[in-house]
Amino acid sequence: MRVLFMCTANSCRSILSEAMFNHIAPQGFEAVSAGSFPKGQVLPRSLQTLQEAGISTAGLSSKGNDAFEANPPDIVITVCDKAAGEACPVYFGPALKSHWGLEDPSDVQGEETEISAAFNATLAQIERRCRAFLELPFAELSRDELKRELDRIGQL
């Protein structure tokens, strides 16, 4: 199963989600990420947060939706409100869509400890959601039931 985490810039929340999902996912599951208006580079703070958590940053890059035109995802999860309001590209076709809104830790201003705490809290929330996702009984869920479960997880 291929999951696309999508936000606007693909430099922070979607990158953190891709890396965390791949860090804990069993074989047969893969996460990728993209942005509707990619920044073209991953925020250094995102990479630092992942590295400090012992999560690989290999292969992470800021890219657009078109990177997946030839290999569309099974599920698209938007992680920022702006991307949630945008239509997914038509080539994503039957992909199931859900929204897991996350506050942007890169918007936090202040001392280093406050910024670090915001990034760590976001990563912890992503981990809770990814673990809940991976615990779903996929073989037992209809498409509509899976959609409801994905939406429920987005509220955790």
Side-chain angles (χ1 to χ4, degrees):
M1 177 179 295
R2 188 167 203 196
V3 179
L4 170 63
F5 289 99
M6 197 174 120
C7 69
T8 306
N10 190 220
S11 63
C12 184
R13 291 166 285 182
S14 56
I15 293 287
L16 294 172
S17 298
E18 172 187 1
M20 175 57 76
F21 188 95
N22 287 332
H23 182 68
I24 64 174
Q27 188 172 350
F29 288 86
E30 175 195 22
V32 291
S33 67
S36 49
F37 297 96
K39 190 172 190 167
Q41 66 180 18
V42 176
L43 286 176
R45 187 52 181 232
S46 297
L47 298 174
Q48 178 184 343
T49 300
L50 291 167
Q51 290 166 343
E52 289 171 356
I55 298 171
S56 175
T57 59
L60 295 176
S61 66
S62 178
K63 58 211 153 295
N65 299 330
D66 56 344
F68 305 103
E69 188 169 1
N71 189 7
D74 300 299
I75 296 174
V76 176
I77 298 173
T78 52
V79 293
C80 73
D81 292 334
K82 190 169 182 182
E86 297 171 355
C88 282
V90 70
Y91 48 80
F92 286 175
L96 198 57
K97 297 159 189 82
S98 188
H99 178 62
W100 292 2
L102 295 164
E103 291 186 30
D104 190 349
S106 67
D107 287 342
V108 172
Q109 303 291 315
E111 300 291 322
E112 175 63 25
T113 55
E114 294 170 291
I115 295 167
S116 181
F119 273 83
N120 289 331
T122 299
L123 189 61
Q125 185 174 23
I126 291 166
E127 181 176 11
R128 281 192 302 278
R129 290 177 178 177
C130 288
R131 288 193 183 281
F133 175 97
L134 292 166
E135 289 172 1
L136 292 174
F138 292 98
E140 300 170 17
L141 297 174
S142 70
R143 183 175 173 83
D144 289 343
E145 290 168 332
L146 179 55
K147 167 72 170 139
R148 279 193 297 278
E149 287 297 309
L150 291 174
D151 290 347
R152 178 189 61 79
I153 290 168
Q155 302 304 308
L156 298 177

